[in-house]
Amino acid sequence: MIPNISQQHLDQFNSNGFCILEDVFSAAEMDDLSSVIEVHQARHQERLNDVGTEGISRADEISFTSHLAENDEIIRAFCLRPEFVAITTTFLGPNIDLYWNQSVFKGPDGKAQFPWHQDDGYTPVTPTPYLTLWLALNDATVENGCICVIPGSQKGGLVPHVRTPIGLVCHSLEDPDQGVPIPLHAGSMVVFQSLTMHKSGVNCSSGIRKAYIIQYSHSNLKNLLTGELVPDKIPVVREAKGI
Ligand SMILES: O=C(O)CCC(=O)C(=O)O
């Protein structure tokens, strides 16, 4: 369903750095997408089980399976859907590429939070911010480790990040300000700026928490450090029209 993006959504996005779009997709659509994603995630999980860790993925806790749209026609078509054309043109502008996409599965009975960071901290780019859509493939709850954000944290720009074995960190998990949790029904999403600080909680449930993260950018995105255009992005919108 094409979301109705109100002035309130835009104001929240601009002042808090995020807003929530409820029920953009149905739970049945998410089950279908999930079953396609799970084929790729399962292959990745097998490799992870052999090696234990790969980048920030850890076999027993959390797996990031990237480049899904690049490797799967069905997932690519999903990322080009009119819902995303509407969302990205509203929040970003008329010329949009798919910059990055990954599923994030958090295993049951987890032990660790995924630490506070800004997505720009991983690869600084310009123009920034770009758009991160955190789409719930199944219900995301406080118990199963939903995403949390710090409202307004995007306003300070890119802050220093410290590299740790479980990911980059820009804000302590011991700090009294632990932001706000964003529970979501399957098919709902949180839309945030790539400079908005976020983390996810421990999955204390007995099931897997499943999310698909889709990041859209301006079509002229450059790596801030090299000045080179970011290669291999998938064109999504040109002159406000979906491709
Ligand atoms: O989904 C999660 O648990 C955290 C993922 C995240 O924050 C990210 O990929 O930037």
Side-chain angles (χ1 to χ4, degrees):
M1 188 179 63
I2 305 294
N4 180 15
I5 301 170
S6 65
Q7 189 57 47
Q8 198 183 354
H9 285 116
L10 288 168
D11 291 346
Q12 282 174 356
F13 180 80
N14 290 326
S15 63
N16 290 340
F18 71 97
C19 67
I20 296 164
L21 298 179
E22 308 262 16
D23 301 322
V24 179
F25 301 103
S26 67
E29 285 176 300
M30 293 299 90
D31 284 346
D32 289 347
L33 180 64
S34 229
S35 60
V36 181
I37 287 177
E38 276 161 30
V39 174
H40 300 272
Q41 196 275 339
R43 269 191 227 122
H44 182 212
Q45 188 69 46
E46 260 178 47
R47 272 205 321 276
L48 262 183
N49 292 343
D50 286 343
V51 294
T53 61
E54 193 177 80
I56 52 176
S57 292
R58 280 166 294 132
D60 56 347
E61 187 100 14
I62 188 166
S63 69
F64 295 80
T65 309
S66 63
H67 297 100
L68 294 165
E70 289 82 349
N71 290 317
D72 191 300
E73 277 306 313
I74 295 174
I75 302 174
R76 185 187 179 105
F78 180 79
C79 294
L80 300 178
R81 279 179 63 145
E83 289 85 347
F84 295 117
V85 174
I87 295 167
T88 57
T89 51
T90 303
F91 288 104
L92 270 190
N95 294 299
I96 306 291
D97 286 349
L98 175 64
Y99 165 45
W100 185 262
N101 67 106
Q102 63 189 8
S103 62
V104 188
F105 282 25
K106 274 201 141 183
D109 305 318
K111 290 169 281 305
Q113 305 195 51
F114 187 70
W116 287 109
H117 64 284
Q118 298 167 300
D119 287 337
D120 269 296
Y122 278 86
T123 306
V125 289
T126 182
T128 193
Y130 57 89
L131 205 60
T132 294
L133 309 185
W134 195 99
L135 171 63
L137 294 173
N138 61 0
D139 289 351
T141 62
V142 171
E143 190 200 7
N144 74 8
C146 67
I147 209 89
C148 303
V149 301
I150 299 183
S153 53
Q154 83 285 359
K155 289 184 182 152
L158 183 59
V159 301
H161 285 65
V162 174
R163 195 169 293 279
T164 77
I166 58 168
L168 296 181
V169 178
C170 69
H171 181 81
S172 171
L173 288 168
E174 309 303 323
D175 192 284
D177 182 3
Q178 290 301 301
V180 290
I182 318 268
L184 293 169
H185 287 131
S188 298
M189 64 180 81
V190 53
V191 177
F192 57 85
Q193 302 186 22
S194 56
L195 288 166
T196 304
M197 292 180 194
H198 57 285
K199 71 165 184 181
S200 65
V202 180
N203 182 356
C204 301
S205 78
S206 55
I208 303 174
R209 193 228 63 198
K210 302 173 186 177
Y212 183 39
I213 293 182
I214 322 174
Q215 295 177 322
Y216 294 94
S217 73
H218 295 277
S219 56
N220 59 348
L221 193 73
K222 288 184 178 159
N223 181 309
L224 194 59
L225 305 177
T226 64
E228 303 283 324
L229 279 173
V230 174
D232 304 325
K233 293 190 282 67
I234 298 176
V236 178
V237 185
R238 289 294 180 269
E239 303 304 328
K241 290 204 169 34
I243 286 184

